[in-house]
Amino acid sequence: MKVLWLCNVMMPMIAEQLGLEASNKEGWLSGLASAMLEKGHENEIELAVAFPGPDKLFAPDKSFCMRTLTVRGRELKCFGFREDVTRPEIYDKGLEERLNWIIDFWKPDMVHCFGTEYPHTLAMCRVFPDKSRLLISLQGLCAVYAECYFADLPEKVIRSVTLRDFLKKDSLREQQRKFAMRGEMEIEAVKLAGNIAGRTAWDHFYTKKWNPDAGYFVMNETLRESFYGAVWDRKRCIPHSIFLSQGDYPIKGFHYMLKALPKILEIYPDTKVYVAGNSIINYRTVKQKLKISAYGRYLRRLIRENGLQEAVVMLGRLEERQMLERYLKSHLFVCCSSIENSPNSLGEAMLLGMPCVSADVGGIPSIFTGGEDGIVYEGFQIGLNNKSNLEGVSEMLAKSVLEIWQNEIRMENYGKNARKHAEKTHDPAQNYRIMTEIYAEITGQKNSAF
């Protein structure tokens, strides 16, 4: 069986072999690919991977290329294609020609697209001839994210436009519009695909709404390799430290945490919030100040007005091992997003056995059980995007953080329950087996992997 994966980024294990910079995004795919290749003699699957490649990968006159690598003792065909991933709201018709070339060369029995966030998934859905052998794995859903993008921000902030926003045509309203444009392409891709792989009641609802005729398969995600085996220990963590895995755009809900923080500091004055990922609030020069976005300026104002300068630490982008260490050092993981499907950051925290607090939004109830794995609170609600809801959500977040810290025994029990839950959800062997069974069902070929 010849399978072609269509990925949003070049996997780290491929980048390393090609001597190129590896992305931190979707690192879990390397583990899944390794399992597929290591068991190649059992599963009888020949794997090839296609992805948007950096310019260094191409000859000056080419928009696609092919490399053959040896990974885990098996041959892996890698296809790079040109795509402007910095403008994912724009559909490049040329993608169809590039992906068609890959299909003609590799002649896969089926194609597995990981995610719907970029135009290349729609292009693949348009050009791959047998839709019954096309599988899309859902990650986020841009069409729904667009409805939740402003995440209860005050109207004045939503309307605000900085110099950076004006020059880049990237104000908050324009950012939301871009998500909506991506959502339109996403819905078309889902309508074209013969098969969908999801993992939550939330994504199942929307995909059945968009394409009731598509086959729907439940397939959980395998997390990054280093998160298996490590265990959170209360004695090792920094007391009253909170970890957020991202905070660079409104959906991630950093502003909810900043609004909640003063109430938490009243009870635990040593509380610190550590935020990983791209920082949009720091600047040291006038030039850097001119590059700040409206959302970044709003976050800075919340920090300044509430005297939170010493309570917020921006960590910048962290490699996998650095992320793991930060989880283990933290007293609590918080997911305060306005919408998520099943965030891998929450899954990683659960797998480590960390205490967790999460907004009850999107697909999170399918992977995180409030009152057993940790505490959930009522988050963003579509249709209630206003200042009073911002205050209400922030107040519930603060209450949840205080509640989980006020009972040490219950907090640690939450962590143990979360770990047991995540070990089932993110079991690599189980997820690999399910994936090969799905492939066998789609192609009508016997699954000899197990």
Side-chain angles (χ1 to χ4, degrees):
M1 183 196 307
K2 296 176 73 174
V3 177
L4 175 66
W5 283 5
L6 180 63
C7 304
N8 293 335
V9 297
M10 183 193 311
M11 289 187 288
M13 69 178 191
I14 295 174
E16 289 169 10
Q17 287 217 24
L18 296 177
L20 298 171
E21 185 178 352
S23 169
N24 290 332
K25 296 181 179 179
E26 301 181 20
W28 54 272
L29 273 175
S30 287
L32 195 58
S34 295
M36 184 71 72
L37 293 166
E38 286 171 357
K39 296 179 181 292
H41 63 287
E42 301 173 3
N43 59 40
E44 298 180 359
I45 292 174
E46 294 180 70
L47 180 65
V49 182
F51 49 84
D55 288 341
K56 293 179 181 178
L57 204 58
F58 308 102
D61 59 338
K62 294 290 184 182
S63 57
F64 44 76
C65 66
M66 189 270 288
R67 300 283 191 276
T68 302
L69 306 178
T70 301
V71 181
R72 300 293 190 268
R74 298 273 296 179
E75 185 178 279
L76 177 64
K77 284 282 193 301
C78 301
F79 298 96
F81 56 87
R82 288 189 188 275
E83 181 181 19
D84 185 359
V85 294
T86 65
R87 301 184 68 192
E89 74 280 4
I90 304 299
Y91 187 80
D92 176 7
K93 185 74 174 175
L95 283 169
E96 296 179 19
E97 178 187 355
R98 294 161 212 163
L99 295 178
N100 215 15
W101 178 86
I102 295 170
I103 292 167
D104 287 345
F105 183 92
W106 179 243
K107 294 180 172 55
D109 294 300
M110 66 165 287
V111 172
H112 186 174
C113 305
F114 288 89
T116 55
E117 301 95 325
Y118 290 89
H120 54 245
T121 294
L122 174 56
M124 179 63 79
C125 290
R126 285 178 172 177
V127 301
F128 190 64
D130 190 348
K131 311 306 182 192
S132 69
R133 293 189 172 215
L134 187 60
L135 173 69
I136 292 179
S137 277
L138 300 175
Q139 294 176 176
L141 293 178
C142 294
V144 188
Y145 283 17
E147 298 182 60
C148 308
Y149 193 80
F150 296 136
D152 293 317
L153 290 173
E155 186 62 31
K156 183 178 179 180
V157 176
I158 295 171
R159 293 197 309 266
S160 178
V161 179
T162 64
L163 178 63
R164 173 260 178 209
D165 296 341
F166 176 76
L167 294 176
K168 293 175 71 77
K169 296 181 179 179
D170 194 44
S171 68
L172 282 166
R173 289 197 181 280
E174 287 167 327
Q175 290 169 24
Q176 190 267 351
R177 181 180 61 84
K178 291 172 186 176
F179 261 85
M181 292 170 67
R182 294 166 75 180
E184 291 174 4
M185 290 184 279
E186 170 183 75
I187 292 172
E188 183 182 341
V190 169
K191 287 181 176 180
L192 287 170
N195 304 280
I196 305 295
R199 56 197 184 277
T200 66
W202 179 78
D203 69 40
H204 185 234
F205 169 81
Y206 281 102
T207 52
K208 280 301 178 185
K209 177 182 176 182
W210 298 336
N211 186 356
D213 297 324
Y216 182 89
F217 299 93
V218 176
M219 186 170 72
N220 290 316
E221 289 187 330
T222 297
L223 302 178
R224 293 182 286 185
E225 187 175 356
S226 61
F227 286 85
Y228 293 88
V231 181
W232 181 84
D233 183 348
R234 169 70 180 85
K235 297 175 184 177
R236 286 186 57 196
C237 74
I238 301 170
H240 307 132
S241 57
I242 298 171
F243 183 44
L244 275 60
S245 63
Q246 280 180 283
D248 57 349
Y249 63 116
I251 283 174
K252 296 303 175 181
F254 187 16
H255 53 289
Y256 291 121
M257 176 54 70
L258 293 179
K259 295 284 286 185
L261 195 49
K263 294 182 177 64
I264 299 170
L265 287 166
E266 288 177 8
I267 308 300
Y268 299 105
D270 59 339
T271 298
K272 284 187 182 292
V273 176
Y274 294 84
V275 187
N278 181 43
S279 173
I280 61 169
I281 66 172
N282 293 338
Y283 61 77
R284 296 181 180 178
T285 66
V286 173
K287 185 177 180 180
Q288 290 173 338
K289 183 178 181 179
L290 293 174
K291 293 182 179 181
I292 199 164
S293 66
Y295 184 56
R297 185 170 64 185
Y298 173 61
L299 295 176
R300 285 183 64 89
R301 193 177 84 220
L302 289 179
I303 291 171
R304 182 181 66 253
E305 290 178 351
N306 292 288
L308 303 176
Q309 291 88 340
E310 299 302 316
V312 176
V313 181
M314 306 304 293
L315 299 169
R317 298 178 183 177
L318 302 180
E319 301 295 334
E320 180 177 335
R321 295 299 305 186
Q322 294 173 315
M323 281 288 285
L324 174 61
E325 283 305 310
R326 179 50 58 183
Y327 277 107
L328 295 175
K329 286 179 181 178
S330 302
H331 199 174
L332 178 66
F333 176 81
V334 171
C335 176
C336 47
S337 301
S338 64
I339 192 69
E340 293 281 0
N341 188 6
S342 65
N344 282 352
S345 56
L346 178 58
E348 288 172 344
M350 293 172 66
L351 191 60
L352 295 172
M354 279 189 72
C356 299
V357 165
S358 177
D360 188 6
V361 296
I364 285 176
S366 294
I367 68 161
F368 183 72
T369 306
E372 293 182 18
D373 301 328
I375 295 178
V376 297
Y377 63 93
E378 190 172 343
F380 173 84
Q381 297 179 62
I382 294 175
L384 294 178
N385 187 37
N386 53 53
K387 184 177 179 181
S388 63
N389 203 50
L390 170 60
E391 298 296 336
V393 171
S394 301
E395 185 175 336
M396 286 185 284
L397 169 55
K399 182 180 177 181
S400 298
V401 172
L402 294 174
E403 181 183 340
I404 202 167
W405 277 345
Q406 285 168 355
N407 190 321
E408 194 84 16
I409 295 175
R410 185 169 60 184
M411 180 187 71
E412 296 201 11
N413 285 335
Y414 281 150
K416 291 175 182 176
N417 293 339
R419 180 172 171 79
K420 289 178 182 177
H421 190 165
E423 284 175 337
K424 294 178 181 178
T425 304
H426 305 292
D427 179 352
Q430 172 81 347
N431 295 341
Y432 164 76
R433 179 184 62 79
I434 289 173
M435 185 172 68
T436 59
E437 289 176 350
I438 292 171
Y439 288 0
E441 183 170 342
I442 288 173
T443 61
Q445 298 183 30
K446 182 181 178 181
N447 179 18
S448 59
F450 293 89

